[in-house]
mmCIF file of all heavy atoms in Angstrom:
data_model
loop_
_atom_site.group_PDB
_atom_site.id
_atom_site.type_symbol
_atom_site.label_atom_id
_atom_site.label_comp_id
_atom_site.label_asym_id
_atom_site.label_seq_id
_atom_site.Cartn_x
_atom_site.Cartn_y
_atom_site.Cartn_z
ATOM 1 N N ILE A 164 -95.089 -63.985 -10.717
ATOM 2 C CA ILE A 164 -94.056 -64.995 -10.586
ATOM 3 C C ILE A 164 -94.271 -66.026 -11.739
ATOM 4 O O ILE A 164 -95.365 -66.310 -12.154
ATOM 5 C CB ILE A 164 -94.196 -65.747 -9.231
ATOM 6 C CG1 ILE A 164 -94.205 -64.674 -8.091
ATOM 7 C CG2 ILE A 164 -93.163 -66.768 -9.049
ATOM 8 C CD1 ILE A 164 -94.456 -65.371 -6.708
ATOM 9 N N ASN A 165 -93.151 -66.546 -12.225
ATOM 10 C CA ASN A 165 -93.160 -67.585 -13.232
ATOM 11 C C ASN A 165 -94.058 -68.718 -12.868
ATOM 12 O O ASN A 165 -94.086 -69.169 -11.747
ATOM 13 C CB ASN A 165 -91.734 -68.067 -13.529
ATOM 14 C CG ASN A 165 -91.021 -67.231 -14.472
ATOM 15 O OD1 ASN A 165 -91.566 -66.518 -15.336
ATOM 16 N ND2 ASN A 165 -89.712 -67.174 -14.335
ATOM 17 N N ASN A 166 -94.821 -69.132 -13.868
ATOM 18 C CA ASN A 166 -95.707 -70.356 -13.713
ATOM 19 C C ASN A 166 -96.807 -70.191 -12.679
ATOM 20 O O ASN A 166 -97.300 -71.171 -12.165
ATOM 21 C CB ASN A 166 -94.874 -71.576 -13.417
ATOM 22 C CG ASN A 166 -93.858 -71.849 -14.521
ATOM 23 O OD1 ASN A 166 -94.140 -71.689 -15.735
ATOM 24 N ND2 ASN A 166 -92.601 -72.164 -14.149
ATOM 25 N N THR A 167 -97.212 -69.031 -12.367
ATOM 26 C CA THR A 167 -98.332 -68.746 -11.497
ATOM 27 C C THR A 167 -99.535 -68.305 -12.316
ATOM 28 O O THR A 167 -99.396 -67.998 -13.560
ATOM 29 C CB THR A 167 -98.038 -67.658 -10.421
ATOM 30 O OG1 THR A 167 -97.667 -66.444 -11.028
ATOM 31 C CG2 THR A 167 -96.931 -68.126 -9.504
ATOM 32 N N LEU A 168 -100.698 -68.303 -11.788
ATOM 33 C CA LEU A 168 -101.969 -67.940 -12.471
ATOM 34 C C LEU A 168 -102.125 -68.788 -13.741
ATOM 35 O O LEU A 168 -102.313 -68.254 -14.799
ATOM 36 C CB LEU A 168 -102.024 -66.515 -12.760
ATOM 37 C CG LEU A 168 -101.992 -65.542 -11.527
ATOM 38 C CD1 LEU A 168 -101.827 -64.077 -11.962
ATOM 39 C CD2 LEU A 168 -103.287 -65.671 -10.725
ATOM 40 N N PRO A 169 -101.980 -70.060 -13.650
ATOM 41 C CA PRO A 169 -102.012 -70.906 -14.857
ATOM 42 C C PRO A 169 -103.457 -70.884 -15.604
ATOM 43 O O PRO A 169 -103.511 -71.182 -16.733
ATOM 44 C CB PRO A 169 -101.678 -72.320 -14.403
ATOM 45 C CG PRO A 169 -102.119 -72.299 -12.994
ATOM 46 C CD PRO A 169 -101.832 -70.935 -12.447
ATOM 47 N N SER A 170 -104.485 -70.540 -14.885
ATOM 48 C CA SER A 170 -105.867 -70.555 -15.446
ATOM 49 C C SER A 170 -106.280 -69.194 -15.899
ATOM 50 O O SER A 170 -107.376 -69.072 -16.494
ATOM 51 C CB SER A 170 -106.851 -71.084 -14.407
ATOM 52 O OG SER A 170 -106.542 -72.389 -13.960
ATOM 53 N N LEU A 171 -105.449 -68.169 -15.655
ATOM 54 C CA LEU A 171 -105.915 -66.792 -16.035
ATOM 55 C C LEU A 171 -105.920 -66.579 -17.531
ATOM 56 O O LEU A 171 -104.907 -66.796 -18.195
ATOM 57 C CB LEU A 171 -104.935 -65.812 -15.343
ATOM 58 C CG LEU A 171 -105.406 -64.343 -15.415
ATOM 59 C CD1 LEU A 171 -106.613 -64.086 -14.545
ATOM 60 C CD2 LEU A 171 -104.282 -63.420 -14.976
ATOM 61 N N HIS A 172 -107.069 -66.212 -18.058
ATOM 62 C CA HIS A 172 -107.183 -65.955 -19.503
ATOM 63 C C HIS A 172 -107.568 -64.522 -19.877
ATOM 64 O O HIS A 172 -107.544 -64.161 -21.015
ATOM 65 C CB HIS A 172 -108.117 -66.922 -20.158
ATOM 66 C CG HIS A 172 -109.570 -66.826 -19.690
ATOM 67 N ND1 HIS A 172 -110.348 -65.858 -20.101
ATOM 68 C CD2 HIS A 172 -110.272 -67.613 -18.829
ATOM 69 C CE1 HIS A 172 -111.621 -65.978 -19.542
ATOM 70 N NE2 HIS A 172 -111.522 -67.029 -18.761
ATOM 71 N N ALA A 173 -107.967 -63.725 -18.877
ATOM 72 C CA ALA A 173 -108.336 -62.338 -19.126
ATOM 73 C C ALA A 173 -107.787 -61.440 -18.043
ATOM 74 O O ALA A 173 -108.060 -61.642 -16.863
ATOM 75 C CB ALA A 173 -109.865 -62.194 -19.185
ATOM 76 N N LEU A 174 -106.976 -60.478 -18.455
ATOM 77 C CA LEU A 174 -106.292 -59.527 -17.586
ATOM 78 C C LEU A 174 -106.547 -58.088 -18.068
ATOM 79 O O LEU A 174 -106.201 -57.729 -19.176
ATOM 80 C CB LEU A 174 -104.783 -59.772 -17.571
ATOM 81 C CG LEU A 174 -103.967 -58.805 -16.688
ATOM 82 C CD1 LEU A 174 -104.340 -58.917 -15.234
ATOM 83 C CD2 LEU A 174 -102.451 -59.125 -16.879
ATOM 84 N N ASN A 175 -107.247 -57.298 -17.211
ATOM 85 C CA ASN A 175 -107.572 -55.956 -17.540
ATOM 86 C C ASN A 175 -106.846 -54.981 -16.634
ATOM 87 O O ASN A 175 -107.061 -54.939 -15.451
ATOM 88 C CB ASN A 175 -109.109 -55.731 -17.396
ATOM 89 C CG ASN A 175 -109.527 -54.367 -17.940
ATOM 90 O OD1 ASN A 175 -108.675 -53.547 -18.340
ATOM 91 N ND2 ASN A 175 -110.836 -54.147 -17.923
ATOM 92 N N LEU A 176 -105.924 -54.296 -17.280
ATOM 93 C CA LEU A 176 -105.082 -53.286 -16.576
ATOM 94 C C LEU A 176 -105.256 -51.898 -17.257
ATOM 95 O O LEU A 176 -104.436 -51.041 -17.085
ATOM 96 C CB LEU A 176 -103.606 -53.657 -16.599
ATOM 97 C CG LEU A 176 -103.282 -54.991 -15.907
ATOM 98 C CD1 LEU A 176 -101.794 -55.331 -16.182
ATOM 99 C CD2 LEU A 176 -103.559 -54.916 -14.441
ATOM 100 N N SER A 177 -106.381 -51.726 -17.888
ATOM 101 C CA SER A 177 -106.601 -50.426 -18.620
ATOM 102 C C SER A 177 -106.897 -49.329 -17.591
ATOM 103 O O SER A 177 -107.257 -49.544 -16.390
ATOM 104 C CB SER A 177 -107.802 -50.530 -19.531
ATOM 105 O OG SER A 177 -109.026 -50.790 -18.830
ATOM 106 N N HIS A 178 -106.662 -48.070 -18.030
ATOM 107 C CA HIS A 178 -106.948 -46.899 -17.198
ATOM 108 C C HIS A 178 -106.135 -46.879 -15.913
ATOM 109 O O HIS A 178 -106.671 -46.752 -14.802
ATOM 110 C CB HIS A 178 -108.459 -46.767 -16.904
ATOM 111 C CG HIS A 178 -109.283 -46.476 -18.119
ATOM 112 N ND1 HIS A 178 -109.585 -45.206 -18.563
ATOM 113 C CD2 HIS A 178 -109.877 -47.278 -19.015
ATOM 114 C CE1 HIS A 178 -110.384 -45.257 -19.638
ATOM 115 N NE2 HIS A 178 -110.544 -46.538 -19.930
ATOM 116 N N ASN A 179 -104.840 -47.109 -16.079
ATOM 117 C CA ASN A 179 -103.913 -47.046 -14.932
ATOM 118 C C ASN A 179 -102.752 -46.098 -15.327
ATOM 119 O O ASN A 179 -102.916 -45.200 -16.101
ATOM 120 C CB ASN A 179 -103.459 -48.463 -14.596
ATOM 121 C CG ASN A 179 -104.421 -49.211 -13.681
ATOM 122 O OD1 ASN A 179 -104.629 -48.861 -12.559
ATOM 123 N ND2 ASN A 179 -105.113 -50.199 -14.259
ATOM 124 N N ARG A 180 -101.581 -46.353 -14.726
ATOM 125 C CA ARG A 180 -100.484 -45.417 -14.891
ATOM 126 C C ARG A 180 -99.192 -46.147 -15.330
ATOM 127 O O ARG A 180 -98.129 -45.731 -14.940
ATOM 128 C CB ARG A 180 -100.226 -44.603 -13.617
ATOM 129 C CG ARG A 180 -101.399 -43.781 -13.153
ATOM 130 C CD ARG A 180 -101.082 -42.996 -11.952
ATOM 131 N NE ARG A 180 -102.227 -42.136 -11.536
ATOM 132 C CZ ARG A 180 -102.182 -41.335 -10.455
ATOM 133 N NH1 ARG A 180 -101.100 -41.314 -9.688
ATOM 134 N NH2 ARG A 180 -103.238 -40.572 -10.196
ATOM 135 N N PHE A 181 -99.332 -47.234 -16.129
ATOM 136 C CA PHE A 181 -98.171 -47.925 -16.575
ATOM 137 C C PHE A 181 -97.382 -47.135 -17.567
ATOM 138 O O PHE A 181 -97.997 -46.489 -18.484
ATOM 139 C CB PHE A 181 -98.571 -49.299 -17.168
ATOM 140 C CG PHE A 181 -99.134 -50.245 -16.142
ATOM 141 C CD1 PHE A 181 -100.519 -50.457 -16.053
ATOM 142 C CD2 PHE A 181 -98.366 -50.864 -15.247
ATOM 143 C CE1 PHE A 181 -101.079 -51.283 -15.128
ATOM 144 C CE2 PHE A 181 -98.848 -51.774 -14.311
ATOM 145 C CZ PHE A 181 -100.257 -51.960 -14.252
ATOM 146 N N TRP A 182 -96.075 -47.271 -17.515
ATOM 147 C CA TRP A 182 -95.165 -46.700 -18.514
ATOM 148 C C TRP A 182 -94.563 -47.772 -19.439
ATOM 149 O O TRP A 182 -94.233 -47.444 -20.590
ATOM 150 C CB TRP A 182 -94.023 -45.885 -17.856
ATOM 151 C CG TRP A 182 -94.479 -44.630 -17.239
ATOM 152 C CD1 TRP A 182 -94.971 -44.470 -15.925
ATOM 153 C CD2 TRP A 182 -94.527 -43.311 -17.848
ATOM 154 N NE1 TRP A 182 -95.278 -43.174 -15.762
ATOM 155 C CE2 TRP A 182 -95.025 -42.411 -16.867
ATOM 156 C CE3 TRP A 182 -94.198 -42.834 -19.142
ATOM 157 C CZ2 TRP A 182 -95.229 -41.052 -17.203
ATOM 158 C CZ3 TRP A 182 -94.355 -41.470 -19.366
ATOM 159 C CH2 TRP A 182 -94.868 -40.595 -18.417
ATOM 160 N N THR A 183 -94.466 -48.958 -18.910
ATOM 161 C CA THR A 183 -93.903 -50.065 -19.675
ATOM 162 C C THR A 183 -94.912 -51.240 -19.619
ATOM 163 O O THR A 183 -95.508 -51.492 -18.534
ATOM 164 C CB THR A 183 -92.528 -50.514 -19.062
ATOM 165 O OG1 THR A 183 -91.646 -49.420 -19.086
ATOM 166 C CG2 THR A 183 -91.941 -51.665 -19.862
ATOM 167 N N VAL A 184 -95.027 -51.960 -20.693
ATOM 168 C CA VAL A 184 -95.896 -53.159 -20.686
ATOM 169 C C VAL A 184 -95.337 -54.147 -19.674
ATOM 170 O O VAL A 184 -94.186 -54.433 -19.743
ATOM 171 C CB VAL A 184 -95.928 -53.774 -22.124
ATOM 172 C CG1 VAL A 184 -96.677 -55.090 -22.131
ATOM 173 C CG2 VAL A 184 -96.662 -52.840 -23.078
ATOM 174 N N PRO A 185 -96.159 -54.623 -18.800
ATOM 175 C CA PRO A 185 -95.680 -55.614 -17.777
ATOM 176 C C PRO A 185 -95.028 -56.802 -18.336
ATOM 177 O O PRO A 185 -95.458 -57.299 -19.410
ATOM 178 C CB PRO A 185 -96.965 -55.951 -17.013
ATOM 179 C CG PRO A 185 -97.942 -54.767 -17.180
ATOM 180 C CD PRO A 185 -97.594 -54.327 -18.586
ATOM 181 N N THR A 186 -93.991 -57.222 -17.688
ATOM 182 C CA THR A 186 -93.279 -58.461 -18.131
ATOM 183 C C THR A 186 -93.728 -59.633 -17.319
ATOM 184 O O THR A 186 -94.421 -59.543 -16.281
ATOM 185 C CB THR A 186 -91.768 -58.263 -17.950
ATOM 186 O OG1 THR A 186 -91.439 -58.001 -16.578
ATOM 187 C CG2 THR A 186 -91.277 -57.072 -18.797
ATOM 188 N N ASN A 187 -93.369 -60.803 -17.787
ATOM 189 C CA ASN A 187 -93.668 -62.029 -17.109
ATOM 190 C C ASN A 187 -95.163 -62.268 -16.836
ATOM 191 O O ASN A 187 -95.536 -62.804 -15.794
ATOM 192 C CB ASN A 187 -92.912 -62.065 -15.717
ATOM 193 C CG ASN A 187 -92.479 -63.495 -15.355
ATOM 194 O OD1 ASN A 187 -92.310 -64.329 -16.240
ATOM 195 N ND2 ASN A 187 -92.272 -63.730 -14.064
ATOM 196 N N MET A 188 -95.954 -61.887 -17.795
ATOM 197 C CA MET A 188 -97.454 -62.076 -17.664
ATOM 198 C C MET A 188 -97.711 -63.550 -17.765
ATOM 199 O O MET A 188 -97.040 -64.246 -18.448
ATOM 200 C CB MET A 188 -98.172 -61.193 -18.728
ATOM 201 C CG MET A 188 -98.156 -59.784 -18.418
ATOM 202 S SD MET A 188 -99.234 -58.752 -19.516
ATOM 203 C CE MET A 188 -98.274 -58.816 -21.047
#
Side-chain angles (χ1 to χ4, degrees):
I164 304 177
N165 277 330
N166 301 319
T167 58
L168 297 172
S170 302
L171 191 68
H172 64 77
L174 176 63
N175 188 356
L176 299 174
S177 64
H178 294 270
N179 278 288
R180 299 182 177 180
F181 293 104
W182 289 87
T183 302
V184 171
T186 59
N187 213 25
M188 288 188 286

